[in-house]
Amino acid sequence: GAGVSQSPSNKVTEKGKDVELRCDPISGHTALYWYRQSLGQGLEFLIYFQGNSAPDKSGLPSDRFSAERTGGSVSTLTIQRTQQEDSAVYLCASSRQENTEAFFGQGTRLTVV
Amino acid sequence: DQQVKQNSPSLSVQEGRISILNCDYTNSMFDYFLWYKKYPAEGPTFLISISSIKDKNEDGRFTVFLNKSAKHLSLHIVPSQPGDSAVYFCAASPDNAGNMLTFGGGTRLMVKP
């Protein structure tokens, strides 16, 4: 596709369940970023991938959060044992290189009930 | 501790007038600043950026001003148009940090016809 694609667009899950969020970056973009926007908050950086490696995981809020990227393309963000405070919009962005313009996907709205 | 702050959660402006959105930051390591625009149910889209070696950058109706000594930047939109109504996020990063951005909380701009 022409832009960054995220799926699902909406996810409602029960507290304690695991969820997996998917990001398809723009083809050829080597850098991939995950952010989240909680209610009333700004965008919060979670993790950055350069190729398949994640040089910066400093933003992951707890060890329940993990992410991987395979083949230098698709990335999945996994949240284990979800909590209500995990409810947010999770946004993925990609850029051709590390210091070039980043393009965002539409986000996945996660609601933990 | 918010390193990037947008103190006005909302701003209402008449069509044709100037919109001024403000942003303050505390981290003196920030060297690169960006503005993103976000419509509901869409990811943020890049609007304009400025590096710390400049104090002004202009792109059409959009101008960003940077005052490093005051750790303050602003986005001017003139003339404002109803289609500019959106949430505007200020973001910053240290030099060579690529798109690992720290975002402000956003300002909702409403341009009235």
Side-chain angles (χ1 to χ4, degrees):
Chain A
V4 177
S5 177
Q6 291 187 246
S7 59
S9 54
N10 278 285
K11 176 73 177 178
V12 180
T13 190
E14 290 181 354
K15 179 181 170 181
K17 294 280 180 68
D18 297 352
V19 294
E20 200 171 88
L21 312 180
R22 177 187 168 105
C23 173
D24 277 279
I26 293 173
S27 178
H29 282 197
T30 61
L32 186 146
Y33 310 82
W34 282 98
Y35 287 85
R36 75 173 175 182
Q37 184 179 16
S38 304
L39 187 64
Q41 303 289 319
L43 289 151
E44 174 190 10
F45 168 76
L46 297 179
I47 189 169
Y48 155 59
F49 286 92
Q50 179 60 41
N52 290 336
S53 64
D56 194 316
K57 303 180 182 180
S58 62
L60 293 178
S62 78
D63 58 9
R64 296 185 295 104
F65 286 72
S66 63
E68 63 176 18
R69 189 180 185 196
T70 54
S73 182
V74 172
S75 175
T76 54
L77 177 69
T78 301
I79 310 172
Q80 295 178 309
R81 305 180 302 281
T82 51
Q83 303 294 313
Q84 286 184 327
E85 63 262 27
D86 300 334
S87 296
V89 176
Y90 289 81
L91 288 153
C92 175
S94 71
S95 62
R96 185 171 298 281
Q97 295 172 12
E98 182 181 324
N99 288 313
T100 57
E101 179 185 343
F103 295 84
F104 281 82
Q106 291 186 329
T108 294
R109 180 176 296 278
L110 175 67
T111 305
V112 182
V113 296
Chain B
D1 177 32
Q2 274 190 295
Q3 295 187 56
V4 178
K5 290 184 183 179
Q6 294 176 253
N7 290 319
S8 298
S10 65
L11 174 68
S12 183
V13 170
Q14 202 67 35
E15 180 180 6
R17 306 294 290 268
I18 185 170
S19 296
I20 301 177
L21 297 102
N22 292 302
C23 178
D24 297 289
Y25 63 96
T26 57
N27 189 338
S28 58
M29 299 299 290
F30 287 149
D31 273 288
Y32 188 58
F33 305 89
L34 307 90
W35 285 93
Y36 280 83
K37 180 166 82 168
K38 187 181 184 301
Y39 293 115
E42 294 184 12
T45 55
F46 170 77
L47 199 54
I48 194 169
S49 65
I50 189 168
S51 72
S52 60
I53 61 173
K54 300 176 75 172
D55 55 17
K56 176 182 174 181
N57 188 25
E58 194 171 348
D59 183 3
R61 296 185 298 112
F62 302 90
T63 303
V64 56
F65 295 92
L66 175 62
N67 183 334
K68 278 201 76 175
S69 61
K71 293 190 176 67
H72 177 83
L73 65 154
S74 61
L75 174 69
H76 292 210
I77 307 172
V78 55
S80 302
Q81 299 173 353
D84 296 330
S85 298
V87 177
Y88 289 78
F89 289 97
C90 166
S93 72
D95 190 28
N96 295 323
N99 289 300
M100 289 179 286
L101 303 169
T102 302
F103 281 84
T107 296
R108 180 176 300 280
L109 173 66
M110 291 163 284
V111 180
K112 298 178 181 178

